[in-house]
Amino acid sequence: MTKIRSRQQLIDAAAKVFAEKGYDAARLEDIAAELDVLQGSLYYHVGSKAALYRLVLLQRFETIIVAIEKIAAGTASPEDKLRQAIREQLRYLARHRSESAHWFDSLPANDKAPAEAEEDRALLLRLRESWKAIIREGIRTGAIRKNVDASVAVLSILGMTNYVARWYDPDDSRTIDQIADTQFAMVWDGLAD
């Protein structure tokens, strides 16, 4: 038996088990076995399976939010920002492919405390706002049609890009960048003025 060396080690092991088994089938015993520790050792770091799953999701979500925020704040054209953001989103999903298909399976509402639900809403708002900033800049500069509803555009883009986690196969002849480029072309053709 070893000991848990860091919170990151715990999150990585939990992410692996959740990816392999799914949230419902994964057990804390499985995560403890992945870490080669006693199950009781987990309780020193986290109070429940739901809390551990939440740590995994929050870390993954924060990472992609920061990446998209940096793209939105950059100096590239709105067209290039949108291309970069779609590519970053898909690369991120591909990097975490084994677990990313489960990211959008939410926990039952009764597994979340009101503060957690509010934190989730705030994070989701941050993500959407960074994407909207790109769309709004495109509208302001005339690169994107003025009648485009930024909220609908962003929700559509996120729906399309996030769903790739459900069907992407790295053994396919298409690379993740080729898929991103195809998605960007479809989006841009629908938005460009």
Side-chain angles (χ1 to χ4, degrees):
M1 292 283 160
T2 62
K3 71 180 220 173
I4 299 172
R5 293 181 306 279
S6 68
R7 185 178 192 119
Q8 189 60 54
Q9 179 193 22
L10 175 62
I11 290 171
D12 291 343
K16 182 177 184 223
V17 172
F18 288 134
E20 290 170 356
K21 297 184 176 241
Y23 176 76
D24 289 332
R27 300 171 311 150
L28 285 177
E29 298 92 62
D30 301 323
I31 297 165
E34 180 67 29
L35 289 162
D36 193 28
V37 299
L38 297 173
Q39 181 181 341
S41 300
L42 296 178
Y43 291 108
Y44 177 78
H45 298 276
V46 66
S48 68
K49 179 173 83 166
L52 186 51
Y53 188 66
R54 180 167 174 68
L55 286 175
V56 172
L57 294 180
L58 287 176
Q59 183 184 71
R60 301 301 195 233
F61 204 43
E62 181 70 29
T63 301
I64 193 62
I65 289 169
V66 168
I68 302 299
E69 285 174 337
K70 284 181 183 176
I71 291 168
T75 59
S77 70
E79 180 179 3
D80 285 340
K81 286 180 182 182
L82 189 58
R83 179 183 292 110
Q84 290 171 18
I86 290 173
R87 212 173 242 215
E88 182 64 29
Q89 183 95 358
L90 292 190
R91 285 177 178 170
Y92 192 76
L93 290 170
R95 249 189 328 274
H96 300 288
R97 186 178 63 80
S98 63
E99 65 190 78
S100 62
H102 299 288
W103 290 349
F104 311 105
D105 301 335
S106 46
L107 293 174
N110 60 357
D111 282 350
K112 285 187 187 177
E116 291 175 342
E118 184 55 40
E119 183 181 22
D120 291 354
R121 281 191 290 278
L123 286 170
L124 187 55
L125 180 62
R126 264 182 69 196
L127 178 67
R128 289 178 181 170
E129 285 303 314
S130 60
W131 282 90
K132 282 183 197 174
I134 297 168
I135 301 298
R136 289 181 184 132
E137 181 182 349
I139 292 169
R140 191 176 63 253
T141 63
I144 293 176
R145 293 188 327 273
K146 299 225 180 288
N147 66 343
V148 167
D149 182 316
S151 293
V152 171
V154 167
L155 291 172
S156 299
I157 291 166
L158 289 174
M160 178 177 65
T161 57
N162 289 342
Y163 204 75
V164 170
R166 301 270 186 193
W167 58 264
Y168 173 65
D169 180 356
D171 295 330
D172 191 327
S173 62
R174 295 166 294 194
T175 67
I176 201 68
D177 285 346
Q178 289 169 325
I179 294 167
D181 291 344
T182 298
Q183 287 190 339
F184 166 75
M186 290 187 304
V187 168
W188 192 253
D189 286 348
L191 297 175
D193 197 11

